[in-house]
Amino acid sequence: ENLVTSAVHPDKDVDGLHPLNCAKLVTAQTHGGSVKMNWKDLKSIPFHIACTPQGCIELLDRSGVEIEGKRAVIIGRSNLVGMPVSLLLNHRNATITIVHSRTLSASSVVQSADIVIAAVGRAKMVKPTWLKEGAVVIDVGINSVDAPDTKKGYRLVGDVDFEECEGKCEKITPVPGGVGPMT
């Protein structure tokens, strides 16, 4: 994987996966004397960041969700979504927690979140009991589940059980039709 991502020049790496672009996202503005970056204007950032994490931040901003000071839980730690979105939220002064396959009592960790970003690839994993009342949920997951009654024999669902969770959330993205078309 590193061999392939390193083969693309960092300036042409629009997915933000080149090790130099990842390093810039991690180290940006952490040392005295660094150029101060405006994390509220992602277009001004002088390196590539993966589009889905940028899109998640854009969704929060355009929906009027305040990020600073909020507890954000990211479910999933991939290099494409989980890690970059956690760093972007951190740069926007959210308190972040990453939940992954080895997290003990994942549901109780997620219950503390004001903002939940699910990007784990498990159909309908997040249930209403995982969420606190009024949480803002961005479902990045896209999973196919059997649906013999449909023409294709399957349907797409997210990592969050949308129908069950919708009433508990202040805002929630559907799958399909939420994050996918935006990015």
Side-chain angles (χ1 to χ4, degrees):
E1 180 180 322
N2 195 35
L3 182 66
V4 173
T5 57
S6 296
V8 177
H9 192 279
D11 292 342
K12 295 183 179 194
D13 169 38
V14 295
D15 289 321
L17 294 174
H18 190 282
L20 289 177
N21 286 328
C22 292
K24 288 175 184 176
L25 182 59
V26 171
T27 61
Q29 198 181 341
T30 59
H31 301 290
S34 292
V35 174
K36 197 151 181 86
M37 292 189 211
N38 179 3
W39 291 100
K40 289 189 177 187
D41 179 13
L42 293 177
K43 292 177 192 167
S44 72
I45 303 302
F47 53 88
H48 291 294
I49 302 168
C51 67
T52 301
Q54 284 189 63
C56 291
I57 301 300
E58 188 74 22
L59 267 174
L60 293 169
D61 286 344
R62 289 189 184 203
S63 299
V65 175
E66 181 63 38
I67 296 172
E68 187 166 334
K70 299 296 172 97
R71 288 189 177 276
V73 172
I74 298 89
I75 307 171
R77 57 181 169 181
S78 73
N79 289 336
L80 192 58
V81 179
M83 296 308 289
V85 81
S86 69
L87 292 165
L88 290 172
L89 288 164
N90 184 59
H91 286 307
R92 294 284 298 272
N93 298 313
T95 300
I96 60 163
T97 303
I98 299 170
V99 169
H100 50 77
S101 61
R102 302 287 189 253
T103 300
L104 300 177
S105 303
S107 62
S108 64
V109 175
V110 177
Q111 285 173 343
S112 70
D114 303 303
I115 300 168
V116 176
I117 299 181
V120 70
R122 291 194 183 161
K124 297 187 175 189
M125 182 178 102
V126 178
K127 302 293 184 187
T129 56
W130 287 46
L131 303 172
K132 78 178 191 181
E133 195 72 37
V136 173
V137 178
I138 296 179
D139 191 348
V140 178
I142 188 156
N143 310 282
S144 62
V145 294
D146 290 338
D149 56 322
T150 66
K151 185 177 179 180
K152 294 180 182 177
Y154 69 91
R155 64 187 176 91
L156 299 177
V157 299
D159 294 343
V160 178
D161 190 335
F162 181 84
E163 291 79 16
E164 295 288 322
C165 295
E166 183 178 19
K168 196 166 189 179
C169 301
E170 178 184 332
K171 300 175 189 305
I172 184 171
T173 59
V175 175
V179 173
M182 182 216 37
T183 59

